[in-house]
Amino acid sequence: MNFNAFDDRTAGLYTIAVSQFALVFMLSAVAVAVPALGREFGASASQLGLVESGYISAVAMLLFPVTRLSDKIGRGATFACGMTLFTVVSMILPVCHTINQFIVLRVFQGGGGAMMVSTGLAIIADLYPGPGRARAMGIASAGVYLGLSAGPWLGGLIVTNFGWRWIFYGGAIPCAVGLFLSLKTLPVRPVIARGVRFDFGGALFIALGMILLSQGGSHLNDVAGRIMLGAGVFFLLCFVVWEGRAKAPLLNITLFSGNPAFSLGSAAQFISYAAIYGITFLLSLYLQVAQGMTASEAGLILMAQPVTQVVFSVISGKWCERWSAHLVATVGMGVATLALGAAIFLGGSRELWFVAGILALCGAGSAMFATANMAVIMGAVTREYYGVASAVVAAMRTTGMTVSLVFISGVFAVVIGPTALSHENAATFIKAMHVSFIALTGFSLAGVLMSARARSKTGKKE
């Protein structure tokens, strides 16, 4: 992809930023709408977990196959196809009448999301091959966190005043804007590359692994769920082994060998999202189920996290140009871990200032980590591997999100059971929330250690 003019490069960057905003706006808005969905559809706590994990697992299982597709038809074309699918499904979701219909459509929406996230970072890396890459990624991250900021507040207002379906009608607008911009600024005409082979075995293993993982976690309270969970882990291990031997692998395993910055940075990426992603989901339920707040009231509190993420995603991009990126990432991961640890002490009283402080601290830490760690990973590979590295970053992020939500769904299934969430069983929910935060805090500590060791050979301008 060639962008020779500065204006074209800037337009491409902000196209990606808009798409990231559109993508996460509806994610964060749906998180606030989860209790309303549960009430209308009579969904259990584990089914509500699938509303998010079904989408995220679809993204994770399609990332590497879609990356190979982008090698075949071009990154711009793949990105535009994903934006189209995401926009169309966003318009169909409001007509759902059952929770199962909703979950299935979210999986298709995840397919569109996979096309966007697997190519977005690679497009930015192409646009900014040298100085300025960390700042450009910070701008793209700011688009993500702006969507996260608008989602809880606007989503809460929409759910309270108009109903959850209008989240998708309203959310389709930035999706349509992103689609229009991609058609105007990116080379979306397919360019068929000859000789690009597809790894069907790898695609099958990762698809089976992610589907069984998400389904098994939501049914962990019965034998069938535990069998599915074990089978999901087995197929994911088969994917890793297969990719190490495949002639045209979806994931080049050799990128991880002899490259500690790439391998440790990728591991830290996975651990970060696995530990941190569930905090919004848990605290949204805590504020509405345990504290009896409306969706709009909860949305205002939840904004504390994405607002600080917006600020620190831009600032941390500049910090990476002054100090070693892996040090910035490690400090950020440490700050987020403190926030998770503090969440263990939440109880049944209205500690709203404490909840807002936890979210703000987590937002600052996760933004510092995300921007700096992306710079570490993308700086650890040469230009020819930008596409694969971009897919690895996205895969670690989405797989981490999936594991986070699968774990929380599993805790809900074991501690709460198949009953619907309500204010009457708030004490049981708080117990499940405490179990979740204790485990997630311990996992996050391992991520701090991984990030501290992810130092590339390029020094401080990783």
Short mmCIF file of all heavy atoms in Angstrom, two decimals, residues 97-136:
data_model
loop_
_atom_site.label_atom_id
_atom_site.label_comp_id
_atom_site.label_asym_id
_atom_site.label_seq_id
_atom_site.Cartn_x
_atom_site.Cartn_y
_atom_site.Cartn_z
N HIS A 97 -35.70 -11.20 18.38
CA HIS A 97 -36.78 -11.45 19.33
C HIS A 97 -36.39 -12.42 20.43
O HIS A 97 -37.16 -12.61 21.39
CB HIS A 97 -38.02 -11.99 18.59
CG HIS A 97 -38.58 -11.02 17.60
ND1 HIS A 97 -39.21 -9.85 17.97
CD2 HIS A 97 -38.58 -11.03 16.23
CE1 HIS A 97 -39.60 -9.18 16.89
NE2 HIS A 97 -39.23 -9.87 15.82
N THR A 98 -35.24 -13.08 20.30
CA THR A 98 -34.77 -14.01 21.33
C THR A 98 -33.29 -13.76 21.59
O THR A 98 -32.58 -13.22 20.74
CB THR A 98 -34.96 -15.48 20.91
OG1 THR A 98 -34.07 -15.78 19.82
CG2 THR A 98 -36.40 -15.75 20.49
N ILE A 99 -32.82 -14.19 22.75
CA ILE A 99 -31.42 -14.01 23.10
C ILE A 99 -30.53 -14.86 22.20
O ILE A 99 -29.40 -14.47 21.87
CB ILE A 99 -31.18 -14.35 24.59
CG1 ILE A 99 -29.77 -13.93 25.03
CG2 ILE A 99 -31.40 -15.83 24.84
CD1 ILE A 99 -29.52 -12.45 25.00
N ASN A 100 -31.02 -16.03 21.74
CA ASN A 100 -30.21 -16.87 20.87
C ASN A 100 -30.02 -16.23 19.50
O ASN A 100 -28.93 -16.31 18.92
CB ASN A 100 -30.86 -18.25 20.72
CG ASN A 100 -30.78 -19.07 21.99
OD1 ASN A 100 -29.84 -18.94 22.77
ND2 ASN A 100 -31.78 -19.91 22.23
N GLN A 101 -31.07 -15.60 18.97
CA GLN A 101 -30.92 -14.86 17.72
C GLN A 101 -29.88 -13.75 17.87
O GLN A 101 -29.03 -13.55 16.99
CB GLN A 101 -32.26 -14.24 17.30
CG GLN A 101 -33.31 -15.23 16.85
CD GLN A 101 -34.63 -14.54 16.54
OE1 GLN A 101 -34.78 -13.33 16.72
NE2 GLN A 101 -35.60 -15.32 16.08
N PHE A 102 -29.95 -13.08 18.98
CA PHE A 102 -29.03 -11.97 19.22
C PHE A 102 -27.59 -12.46 19.27
O PHE A 102 -26.69 -11.86 18.66
CB PHE A 102 -29.40 -11.29 20.55
CG PHE A 102 -28.70 -9.99 20.79
CD1 PHE A 102 -29.25 -8.80 20.34
CD2 PHE A 102 -27.49 -9.95 21.46
CE1 PHE A 102 -28.61 -7.60 20.56
CE2 PHE A 102 -26.84 -8.76 21.68
CZ PHE A 102 -27.39 -7.57 21.23
N ILE A 103 -27.35 -13.56 19.97
CA ILE A 103 -25.98 -14.09 20.10
C ILE A 103 -25.44 -14.53 18.75
O ILE A 103 -24.28 -14.27 18.41
CB ILE A 103 -25.96 -15.26 21.11
CG1 ILE A 103 -26.23 -14.74 22.53
CG2 ILE A 103 -24.63 -16.00 21.06
CD1 ILE A 103 -26.46 -15.83 23.55
N VAL A 104 -26.28 -15.19 17.93
CA VAL A 104 -25.83 -15.64 16.60
C VAL A 104 -25.45 -14.45 15.73
O VAL A 104 -24.41 -14.46 15.04
CB VAL A 104 -26.93 -16.49 15.94
CG1 VAL A 104 -26.59 -16.74 14.47
CG2 VAL A 104 -27.09 -17.82 16.66
N LEU A 105 -26.27 -13.42 15.73
CA LEU A 105 -25.95 -12.24 14.92
C LEU A 105 -24.70 -11.53 15.42
O LEU A 105 -23.94 -10.97 14.62
CB LEU A 105 -27.14 -11.27 14.92
CG LEU A 105 -28.27 -11.62 13.96
CD1 LEU A 105 -29.45 -10.68 14.16
CD2 LEU A 105 -27.79 -11.55 12.50
N ARG A 106 -24.47 -11.56 16.72
CA ARG A 106 -23.24 -10.97 17.25
C ARG A 106 -22.01 -11.70 16.73
O ARG A 106 -20.95 -11.10 16.54
CB ARG A 106 -23.26 -11.01 18.78
CG ARG A 106 -24.21 -10.02 19.42
CD ARG A 106 -23.65 -8.63 19.43
NE ARG A 106 -22.70 -8.44 20.53
CZ ARG A 106 -21.97 -7.35 20.71
NH1 ARG A 106 -22.04 -6.36 19.84
NH2 ARG A 106 -21.14 -7.26 21.73
N VAL A 107 -22.15 -13.00 16.50
CA VAL A 107 -21.04 -13.76 15.92
C VAL A 107 -20.74 -13.26 14.51
O VAL A 107 -19.58 -13.06 14.14
CB VAL A 107 -21.37 -15.27 15.91
CG1 VAL A 107 -20.32 -16.04 15.10
CG2 VAL A 107 -21.43 -15.81 17.33
N PHE A 108 -21.79 -13.03 13.71
CA PHE A 108 -21.57 -12.48 12.37
C PHE A 108 -20.98 -11.07 12.43
O PHE A 108 -20.14 -10.70 11.61
CB PHE A 108 -22.89 -12.47 11.59
CG PHE A 108 -23.27 -13.80 11.02
CD1 PHE A 108 -24.16 -14.62 11.69
CD2 PHE A 108 -22.73 -14.24 9.83
CE1 PHE A 108 -24.51 -15.86 11.19
CE2 PHE A 108 -23.06 -15.48 9.30
CZ PHE A 108 -23.96 -16.29 9.99
N GLN A 109 -21.43 -10.29 13.40
CA GLN A 109 -20.86 -8.96 13.58
C GLN A 109 -19.38 -9.07 13.91
O GLN A 109 -18.56 -8.27 13.44
CB GLN A 109 -21.61 -8.23 14.69
CG GLN A 109 -21.28 -6.74 14.77
CD GLN A 109 -22.05 -6.06 15.89
OE1 GLN A 109 -22.27 -6.64 16.95
NE2 GLN A 109 -22.47 -4.83 15.67
N GLY A 110 -19.02 -10.09 14.69
CA GLY A 110 -17.61 -10.33 14.99
C GLY A 110 -16.79 -10.63 13.76
O GLY A 110 -15.61 -10.30 13.69
N GLY A 111 -17.41 -11.29 12.76
CA GLY A 111 -16.70 -11.54 11.51
C GLY A 111 -16.30 -10.25 10.82
O GLY A 111 -15.17 -10.12 10.31
N GLY A 112 -17.21 -9.27 10.81
CA GLY A 112 -16.87 -7.97 10.24
C GLY A 112 -15.80 -7.27 11.06
O GLY A 112 -14.88 -6.65 10.51
N GLY A 113 -15.91 -7.39 12.39
CA GLY A 113 -14.89 -6.79 13.25
C GLY A 113 -13.53 -7.38 13.02
O GLY A 113 -12.51 -6.67 13.05
N ALA A 114 -13.46 -8.70 12.77
CA ALA A 114 -12.17 -9.36 12.52
C ALA A 114 -11.49 -8.77 11.28
O ALA A 114 -10.27 -8.59 11.26
CB ALA A 114 -12.38 -10.86 12.35
N MET A 115 -12.26 -8.50 10.25
CA MET A 115 -11.69 -7.93 9.03
C MET A 115 -11.10 -6.54 9.27
O MET A 115 -10.10 -6.17 8.66
CB MET A 115 -12.75 -7.85 7.93
CG MET A 115 -13.24 -9.20 7.46
SD MET A 115 -14.42 -9.04 6.10
CE MET A 115 -14.92 -10.76 5.90
N MET A 116 -11.72 -5.80 10.18
CA MET A 116 -11.21 -4.45 10.46
C MET A 116 -9.99 -4.47 11.37
O MET A 116 -8.98 -3.83 11.08
CB MET A 116 -12.33 -3.60 11.09
CG MET A 116 -13.45 -3.25 10.13
SD MET A 116 -14.61 -2.07 10.84
CE MET A 116 -15.47 -3.08 12.04
N VAL A 117 -10.06 -5.22 12.46
CA VAL A 117 -8.96 -5.16 13.42
C VAL A 117 -7.72 -5.89 12.92
O VAL A 117 -6.59 -5.54 13.31
CB VAL A 117 -9.38 -5.73 14.79
CG1 VAL A 117 -10.53 -4.95 15.37
CG2 VAL A 117 -9.75 -7.21 14.70
N SER A 118 -7.89 -6.88 12.04
CA SER A 118 -6.72 -7.61 11.54
C SER A 118 -5.91 -6.79 10.55
O SER A 118 -4.74 -7.08 10.31
CB SER A 118 -7.15 -8.93 10.89
OG SER A 118 -7.91 -8.68 9.73
N THR A 119 -6.53 -5.79 9.95
CA THR A 119 -5.84 -4.98 8.94
C THR A 119 -5.50 -3.58 9.43
O THR A 119 -4.62 -2.93 8.86
CB THR A 119 -6.70 -4.87 7.67
OG1 THR A 119 -8.01 -4.40 8.02
CG2 THR A 119 -6.83 -6.22 6.98
N GLY A 120 -6.19 -3.09 10.45
CA GLY A 120 -6.02 -1.70 10.87
C GLY A 120 -4.61 -1.34 11.27
O GLY A 120 -4.03 -0.36 10.76
N LEU A 121 -4.00 -2.12 12.17
CA LEU A 121 -2.64 -1.82 12.61
C LEU A 121 -1.63 -1.96 11.48
O LEU A 121 -0.65 -1.19 11.40
CB LEU A 121 -2.24 -2.73 13.77
CG LEU A 121 -2.79 -2.39 15.15
CD1 LEU A 121 -2.27 -3.39 16.17
CD2 LEU A 121 -2.41 -0.98 15.55
N ALA A 122 -1.85 -2.95 10.60
CA ALA A 122 -0.93 -3.13 9.47
C ALA A 122 -0.99 -1.92 8.54
O ALA A 122 0.05 -1.49 8.00
CB ALA A 122 -1.28 -4.40 8.71
N ILE A 123 -2.17 -1.38 8.33
CA ILE A 123 -2.31 -0.18 7.48
C ILE A 123 -1.57 0.99 8.11
O ILE A 123 -0.85 1.74 7.43
CB ILE A 123 -3.80 0.15 7.25
CG1 ILE A 123 -4.45 -0.94 6.37
CG2 ILE A 123 -3.95 1.52 6.59
CD1 ILE A 123 -5.95 -0.80 6.23
N ILE A 124 -1.72 1.17 9.43
CA ILE A 124 -1.01 2.26 10.11
C ILE A 124 0.49 2.05 10.05
O ILE A 124 1.26 2.99 9.82
CB ILE A 124 -1.48 2.37 11.57
CG1 ILE A 124 -2.93 2.87 11.61
CG2 ILE A 124 -0.58 3.32 12.37
CD1 ILE A 124 -3.50 2.94 13.01
N ALA A 125 0.95 0.81 10.24
CA ALA A 125 2.39 0.53 10.16
C ALA A 125 2.93 0.81 8.78
O ALA A 125 4.07 1.27 8.62
CB ALA A 125 2.65 -0.94 10.54
N ASP A 126 2.13 0.57 7.74
CA ASP A 126 2.53 0.92 6.38
C ASP A 126 2.62 2.44 6.20
O ASP A 126 3.52 2.97 5.55
CB ASP A 126 1.53 0.36 5.37
CG ASP A 126 1.82 -1.09 5.02
OD1 ASP A 126 2.98 -1.50 5.17
OD2 ASP A 126 0.88 -1.79 4.61
N LEU A 127 1.66 3.14 6.79
CA LEU A 127 1.62 4.59 6.64
C LEU A 127 2.76 5.27 7.39
O LEU A 127 3.27 6.31 6.95
CB LEU A 127 0.28 5.13 7.18
CG LEU A 127 -1.00 4.69 6.46
CD1 LEU A 127 -2.22 5.27 7.15
CD2 LEU A 127 -0.97 5.09 5.00
N TYR A 128 3.14 4.71 8.53
CA TYR A 128 4.17 5.32 9.39
C TYR A 128 5.27 4.29 9.66
O TYR A 128 5.34 3.71 10.74
CB TYR A 128 3.55 5.81 10.70
CG TYR A 128 2.54 6.91 10.50
CD1 TYR A 128 1.21 6.61 10.22
CD2 TYR A 128 2.92 8.25 10.59
CE1 TYR A 128 0.28 7.62 10.03
CE2 TYR A 128 2.00 9.26 10.40
CZ TYR A 128 0.68 8.94 10.12
OH TYR A 128 -0.22 9.95 9.93
N PRO A 129 6.16 4.07 8.69
CA PRO A 129 7.20 3.04 8.86
C PRO A 129 8.33 3.44 9.80
O PRO A 129 9.09 2.59 10.23
CB PRO A 129 7.73 2.86 7.42
CG PRO A 129 7.48 4.18 6.77
CD PRO A 129 6.20 4.70 7.36
N GLY A 130 8.48 4.71 10.10
CA GLY A 130 9.58 5.16 10.94
C GLY A 130 9.11 6.01 12.10
O GLY A 130 8.16 5.66 12.80
N PRO A 131 9.75 7.17 12.31
CA PRO A 131 9.35 8.06 13.41
C PRO A 131 7.88 8.47 13.27
O PRO A 131 7.38 8.70 12.18
CB PRO A 131 10.28 9.27 13.22
CG PRO A 131 11.47 8.71 12.50
CD PRO A 131 10.93 7.66 11.58
N GLY A 132 7.24 8.57 14.39
CA GLY A 132 5.84 8.95 14.40
C GLY A 132 4.88 7.79 14.49
O GLY A 132 3.67 8.00 14.65
N ARG A 133 5.39 6.55 14.39
CA ARG A 133 4.49 5.40 14.43
C ARG A 133 3.79 5.29 15.78
O ARG A 133 2.57 5.06 15.85
CB ARG A 133 5.24 4.10 14.14
CG ARG A 133 4.32 2.87 14.22
CD ARG A 133 5.10 1.58 14.12
NE ARG A 133 5.69 1.45 12.82
CZ ARG A 133 6.68 0.59 12.54
NH1 ARG A 133 7.19 -0.16 13.51
NH2 ARG A 133 7.16 0.51 11.32
N ALA A 134 4.54 5.46 16.87
CA ALA A 134 3.93 5.34 18.20
C ALA A 134 2.86 6.40 18.39
O ALA A 134 1.79 6.12 18.95
CB ALA A 134 5.01 5.46 19.28
N ARG A 135 3.13 7.62 17.90
CA ARG A 135 2.12 8.68 18.03
C ARG A 135 0.89 8.37 17.18
O ARG A 135 -0.25 8.61 17.61
CB ARG A 135 2.73 10.02 17.62
CG ARG A 135 1.81 11.20 17.88
CD ARG A 135 2.52 12.53 17.64
NE ARG A 135 3.66 12.68 18.55
CZ ARG A 135 4.40 13.79 18.62
NH1 ARG A 135 4.13 14.82 17.84
NH2 ARG A 135 5.41 13.86 19.46
N ALA A 136 1.10 7.82 15.97
CA ALA A 136 -0.02 7.45 15.12
C ALA A 136 -0.86 6.36 15.76
O ALA A 136 -2.10 6.40 15.74
CB ALA A 136 0.48 6.98 13.75
#
